[in-house]
Amino acid sequence: MGKSKWYLSGMVSLACLLIAMGILIHTPSANAAENFLVGTGIYDITGPAAECGMMGYFMVDQKTEGIHTRLRSRAFVVADPASGKRVALVIAEAGMIPQGITQAVVKKLLSKYNGLYTDKNVTISATHTHSAPGAISHYALYNLSMFGYDEKHFNAVAEGIYQSIVRAHNNLKPGNIRINTGELNNCGWNRSPLAYEENPDEEKARYNSNMDKTMTLLRFVSADGSNLGMVNWYAVHPTSLGNINKLISGDNKGYASYLFEKQMRTNYAAANTFVAAFAENNAGDISPNIYWGYPNGVDDYYHMKVIGTCQHNKAAELFNEATVNLVGSVDYRHTYVDMSNQSISPAYMPDQVSVGKTCSAAIGVCVLAGSTEDGKGIDIPEGITYPYDISLLGRPYPFAFTLDPFDQQCHGKKPIALPTGRIKPQGIPLTPEVLPVQLLKIGNLAIIALPTEVTTMAGRRLQETVMNALDGQVDYVVIAGLSNAYVEYVATPEEYNLQHYEGASTHFGPYTLNAYQEKLDVIARAIKNGVPVNPGPTPRDIAGNQIFKMAGVAFDDVPIGKKFGSVFAQPKTSYTRGEMVSAVFWGGHPKNDYRTQDTFLVVEKLDGGVYKPVARDWDPETTYRWARESIAYSKITIDWDTAKASPGIYRIRHKGNWKSGWTGAITPYEGVSRTFTVN
C-alpha cells in the first residue's frame, strides 16, 4: 500500500538514531515573568491484566492476558495568579471516559479541596487506546461485550485519575506555557474519504487535506527554566493493535508518551516528575492503518511503533522550538445538555432556515460493519441508508428495528439497528443522553471538551464556531475528544447522510453536530462577556444500579511440590544481543492485585556485585503474559527483547499476589530465574 516495508523500517531506524543522539531536549533560560501557576502529575491506571474484556473493538473473546505497557493518567493543572481561576486537564490512557468515572473523580476532588475543582473546571480526556481493559461504564451498552461491570477496576481508574490531579495540584509553581504548532504528514489517514467528500466543495477547498495534520503542543516551563511537562493534540486513532491483541497497551500514543518520558528521565514512582501526554483531537475518521490494511496480529506492534515514533519525533521538534508563551486569562464554562431533545436554532442549521432537532439515541445498521481499517464487524458494507435495499446485506437482516416510528423519521438516512435511548432496563437507557459540553480557556488557547469522537470536518466546524465566538481572545483552538463522558461519534450532517461507520455511530441524529455548535457558541460567548451559563440538567448517578458485576478470583493454587514464584521454564544460560529471553513462573492471578504504581516483573543486571533493575512491565521491550492452567493454576510468561541490552549477567524477577481459597487472604510472592548472560 504505497511505500515498501524497507522505507518504513528506515523511518523507525532513523527515529531510534535521533533518540540515541539526544536530539531532544534543551532547557530554556528562565523567563522574566511567569504568566501562570502550573503543575503536572502522573499515576497508574492499568487495571486487570487477565480475564477482563477490552474496551474499543467490542469483541467478546478479546480479554486481557497480560501487559505490553502500563496505562497512565497524566494531569496538568493551570491557575491564573490574577483571578485565582484554575483548570485541571487530564489525559488518561483509556478506551473511553465513562460519565461515572468523571462523577467519581469530581466527588473525590470536592471532598478534598472543598469546591476548588468541580465538573466545571476539570476535563478528563481519553487517548482512546483500544487495548485497555473495560467493564467500567455504568451504562449497559458499553459493558455488553465484557458481560458485566467490574467495580474494582472502576475504582482503580477513578482513584488513579484523582491521584494524578492531586499530584499536579501539589506541584503547582510559577511558570509559563509555551505553544507551538506544526504539520505532521504520513502519520494517519482518513478511513472514510467517501463520507468526507460529501461535505461542501467550497468548504473542502479551504483545507489541504481530508485530515487535520496539525499537532498543537504545550510546553510547561517553571520560573527557573526547568521543563515540567508537555501535552499535544494530534488526530489519529490508537488502533495500531488490532482486535486479536490481548495485552494491555497504550498503543501508538502510549508508545509516544513512553519515548518522550524516557528521554526526559521520568520517574513513574515519583510524586513530582516530567509528564508527557499525547492527547486525542478530531480523529473520528482518522486511522493509523491505511498503509498496512486491517491489523493482522503479526506486524501490529511494528506498525504501532512507526505511528508512535512519528508522533514522538514531531512533538520533540515542536517542544524544542516552542518559544511563544500563552498569554491571557484562565477561564472555563460547562453545561449539561439533554442531547436526545434539543431544538436547534435556524442560525446553526445548514440551510439557515429550518429548525432542527436531535433524536432519542440510536445506532445504525452500518455500525455493525465496523470501521473497516480499524475494527471490522460483520460482513456487510458501509453506506447502507434508509430506506435500504435488503439485497445489500446478502441475506435478511434481523436486527434493524425501532420502538417508535418517530425515531426512524427523526434519524433520517440512518436505518436504526438499536434504539439505545428507548431500551431502558431498570428505567435507564443503554447509553447516556444528558451529556457535558465544556470549554476551557488557557490564555489565548481554547480547548473544546466533548464526550464524543469527532470527525475531521466536524472538528473544523466546532473550532471555527469557538474561534468566531471568542474573537480577539484566542488564537488557537483544539478538540479534546472523548472527554468527561462517552457517547461514540459526531459527524457532519453531510457525512451522516452517507451512513458510513462514523455517521451510523452518531447517536442523536443528523443534526448532532449542529446542536453541539450552538451550545459551544453560547458558552464561548459567555466566556468572552464574563457571564455565567445555565448549568443544565444534572446527569443521573447510577453507580448503585449495576446488576451484572464481574466476579473476582475464587482462589489460586499451584501443583504439588511447587510454590508461588517457582520457575516452570528457565531462560537459557546465554543469549546473543537481539534474542528474546523468556522465563515461565507458577504464579497468582493478576486480578488479585493490579500492582498499581508497581510492576509484575523486573529484569535485573549484575552491576558491581548488586542486581539493579533495567526493565519493568511498563517498558515496551518486555511482556508479561498470563495463562490459566487447570482450574486455579496460573502460568506467567515473561519475555524480554535484548535488542538494546548491554553485555552482562542478568536475571528475571516475577512479582505477584495469590489468593487463599480457605481464608480469602491475598499474599504477595516473588520468584527469580537463574542467571543468564547477554553477549
Side-chain angles (χ1 to χ4, degrees), residues 34 39 355 513 609 670:
E34 293 73 49
V355 176
L513 172 62
E670 292 191 11

Side-chain angles (χ1 to χ4, degrees), residues 105-249:
V105 172
V106 168
K107 281 181 182 178
K108 290 172 179 283
L109 291 169
L110 287 170
S111 175
K112 185 173 180 66
Y113 296 111
N114 194 30
L116 193 60
Y117 300 98
T118 70
D119 52 2
K120 295 177 175 60
N121 65 342
V122 173
T123 299
I124 307 172
S125 183
T127 63
H128 197 39
T129 173
H130 284 40
S131 293
I136 58 173
S137 177
H138 291 156
Y139 285 90
L141 182 71
Y142 301 120
N143 294 336
L144 281 180
S145 65
M146 297 92 175
F147 301 108
Y149 167 70
D150 191 332
E151 187 172 19
K152 181 179 178 181
H153 181 207
F154 176 95
N155 291 336
V157 173
E159 179 68 15
I161 292 172
Y162 164 73
Q163 289 294 342
S164 70
I165 297 172
V166 169
R167 288 183 168 192
H169 172 90
N170 291 340
N171 294 334
L172 275 172
K173 61 183 64 175
N176 282 296
I177 304 171
R178 299 178 179 178
I179 189 165
N180 201 4
T181 65
E183 190 169 285
L184 175 55
N185 294 300
N186 298 319
C187 201
W189 300 267
N190 196 305
R191 71 189 184 193
S192 292
L194 295 179
Y196 179 89
E197 285 301 314
E198 292 295 298
N199 293 304
D201 290 339
E202 61 273 18
E203 182 178 37
K204 291 180 295 182
R206 294 164 50 197
Y207 305 101
N208 62 7
S209 174
N210 62 3
M211 72 167 286
D212 186 347
K213 297 182 179 182
T214 300
M215 178 180 283
T216 300
L217 178 140
L218 303 182
R219 176 177 181 171
F220 296 81
V221 183
S222 70
D224 64 6
S226 59
N227 293 306
L228 303 177
M230 179 279 298
V231 59
N232 72 76
W233 289 266
Y234 180 73
V236 67
H237 258 78
T239 49
S240 298
L241 305 180
N243 61 22
I244 62 174
N245 171 62
K246 296 183 179 180
L247 297 182
I248 294 172
S249 175

Side-chain angles (χ1 to χ4, degrees), residues 57 59 243 294 366-372 375-380 501:
Y57 294 114
M59 302 291 288
N243 61 22
Y294 188 68
C366 292
V367 167
L368 301 174
S371 55
T372 309
K376 286 182 180 178
I378 63 177
D379 190 21
I380 63 172
Y501 179 78

Side-chain angles (χ1 to χ4, degrees), residues 282-299:
N282 51 328
D285 50 1
I286 305 303
S287 169
N289 297 317
I290 304 301
Y291 266 138
W292 304 287
Y294 188 68
N296 60 15
V298 177
D299 303 308

